[in-house]
Amino acid sequence: MHHQDSSVSLCDAAREFLSRGRFGLLINGQDVPAASGATLETVDPSTGAVIGHLAAGDGVDVDRAVKAARAAFQGGWSRWTAYERQALLQRAHDAIDRNFEELAQIETTDMGAPISRTRASKAAVLRMIQFFASQCTAVAGETLPNGLPGDVTTMSFNAPVGVIGGIIPWNGPLNGQWWILGAALATGCTVVLKPAEDASLSVLRVAGLLHEIGLPPGVVNVVTGYGSTAGAALSRHPDVDRIAFTGSTDTGRRIIEASAVNIKKLQLELGGKSPDIIFADADLDKAVPGAAMGVFANSGQICFAGTRVFVQRPIVEEFCQRVAAFTRTVRVGPGLNADSQLGPLISGRQLDRVLSYIDLGGREGAKLICGGERMRGDNLAGGYYVSPTVFADVANDMRIAREEIFGPVLSVIPFDTLDEAIALGNQTEYGLGGAVWTRDISQAFKVVKGIQSGVMWVNCYGLIDPLVGFGGTKHSGYGAKGGRAHLDTYLYRKTVYIDG
Ligand code: ADP
């Protein structure tokens, strides 16, 4: 399943960064320990080996970081013009471009995604920075007509809201952090980032690079630590104006509750159980690998993974055979192996969770047709590997079809008619992604219109461009990611009436 000889050796810069062993908080441009002195271990999920220790920040550290962010927001940063912030983002683009191999290696070591995937994310990350650079000079208000007596001029501004709390998940922070960083820098806000305890390193490294290219201290602060301490303190902090959060629906609910303290507006991308609907007329040469990788990519650790694969009855058998055959060809191995298509899961906790769902699927009566095991062979022993798994004969009301597993587990659910596919597709509390595979354009559009989700793909899965964006509905959250509407979380509208 893997080849020892294709292991990537770390570049000097990545080796130097990873060998620090201790990683502090970044507050007001300074690398500092947690006030309590506490640390937490961070582990390479490909091997189970400890990479180093992160500062375990808590409420005291969050408060220090928020004060730094507030001071920066009210200080020199507020006088940067849109062009200056744009130039900073352009320099960030070039710095990320130049250092991408180092960043990809850090990310792979930290969270296990195969180096093929983290390297390939370069284009997406750079596009995102370009998008946000373009937004710097696009934020504008309006002059507005009015019916007031006299000579009154009316207008609106879109003003930066202040301090943003950004709570980042572990499934791809090298990319994911830019939804927050890019928007904050584009609008003139400042941020306190709380990366996930399992994958903080690329966030720390990017913040370091930003300071190297002239980001003023305090504009971007990073508080590493646990969600229940650092994350919770950030989400309930009364001087944090907005929270941008990507993660589980349960944690999202807690953040909504905490937001009441100062009426924080939120941007939330939460869980999913996205339907992927395959009609009998679909091009299976595309649909089989497309639907499979729509679930297995990043070892299933993607919120919009198309985990419920609805297959029209006449092709169920053929689809199952072909998807199982495809799945057996997927190479699972250590992240730094250049041949790996899938790496390990993020943690032992996640591995246990995924294995328990696989066990549950069998007990619920689904038919395991491939995968379903922890992989321990050769040099996989210490890591958190699970073989990509396909269940056939799944019913939409089984727990494996209702609950987010966040692992490489694909469920095949048969259907007969278009209306049934739409009804089953919508029978979920989530509404994040979805796809349809068919050669019939009107059938495709009926599904696109019928499925209640924030993003739909036709004859493809998982494409994202920041100009287009995506988002969630129902329990998958609210607030656009990407597109002009993305900036709404970072701005407020101020209307002005001028007499005379
Ligand atoms: P998972 O359970 O898969 O780790 P989470 O949604 O809990 O997913 O994690 C996403 C991010 O949210 C992480 O950075 C995590 O530390 C943070 N987090 C977890 N719990 C809380 C909380 N109660 N308040 C704020 N942030 C939290």
Side-chain angles (χ1 to χ4, degrees), residues 33-291:
S36 70
T39 61
L40 65 93
E41 273 181 359
T42 188
V43 165
D44 175 352
S46 295
T47 61
V50 175
I51 302 169
H53 291 80
L54 302 171
D58 62 17
V60 175
D61 304 294
V62 165
D63 194 50
R64 278 197 295 168
V66 171
K67 285 201 168 78
R70 177 63 58 191
F73 179 70
Q74 288 165 348
W77 180 239
S78 66
R79 290 184 291 278
W80 282 49
T81 66
Y83 285 117
E84 288 168 331
R85 284 185 274 108
Q86 187 174 52
L88 179 79
L89 275 165
Q90 285 160 344
R91 292 202 298 281
H93 173 279
D94 294 349
I96 300 298
D97 188 5
R98 273 195 311 277
N99 294 285
F100 206 84
E101 179 62 18
E102 176 198 350
L103 292 166
Q105 292 183 7
I106 290 170
E107 179 89 334
T108 286
T109 306
D110 198 18
M111 53 71 67
I115 191 75
S116 57
R117 177 180 174 82
T118 50
R119 280 177 176 162
S121 72
K122 180 174 180 176
V125 172
L126 292 179
R127 265 205 311 273
M128 208 161 0
I129 305 174
Q130 272 187 296
F131 166 71
F132 285 114
S134 77
Q135 294 304 297
C136 294
T137 48
V139 173
E142 295 174 293
T143 53
L144 299 156
N146 67 71
L148 299 167
D151 189 12
V152 178
T153 302
T154 42
M155 64 181 74
S156 68
F157 288 93
N158 273 305
V161 75
V163 177
I164 306 294
I167 302 178
I168 303 172
W170 41 259
N171 63 346
L174 177 55
N175 182 300
Q177 64 185 310
W178 283 100
W179 290 116
I180 304 167
L181 273 179
L185 299 179
T187 53
C189 290
T190 59
V191 286
V192 177
L193 298 176
K194 208 304 279 176
E197 48 273 38
D198 290 315
S200 296
L201 297 181
S202 66
V203 177
L204 288 168
R205 184 66 193 109
V206 165
L209 276 172
L210 292 175
H211 285 87
E212 286 170 27
I213 59 156
L215 180 78
V219 175
V220 174
N221 306 275
V222 184
V223 178
T224 51
Y226 293 108
S228 55
T229 51
L234 189 60
S235 59
R236 66 165 181 261
H237 198 292
D239 203 32
V240 171
D241 297 288
R242 304 268 163 102
I243 294 276
F245 170 75
T246 300
S248 64
T249 296
D250 282 345
T251 302
R253 249 185 221 106
R254 281 190 208 109
I255 289 171
I256 292 167
E257 281 163 16
S259 73
V261 66
N262 63 335
I263 327 291
K264 282 184 191 76
K265 183 168 169 173
L266 307 174
Q267 193 271 318
L268 302 172
E269 187 202 333
L270 309 177
K273 199 73 197 177
S274 299
D276 192 354
I277 299 171
I278 302 175
F279 284 95
D281 74 336
D283 176 356
L284 289 186
D285 291 343
K286 271 177 83 179
V288 167

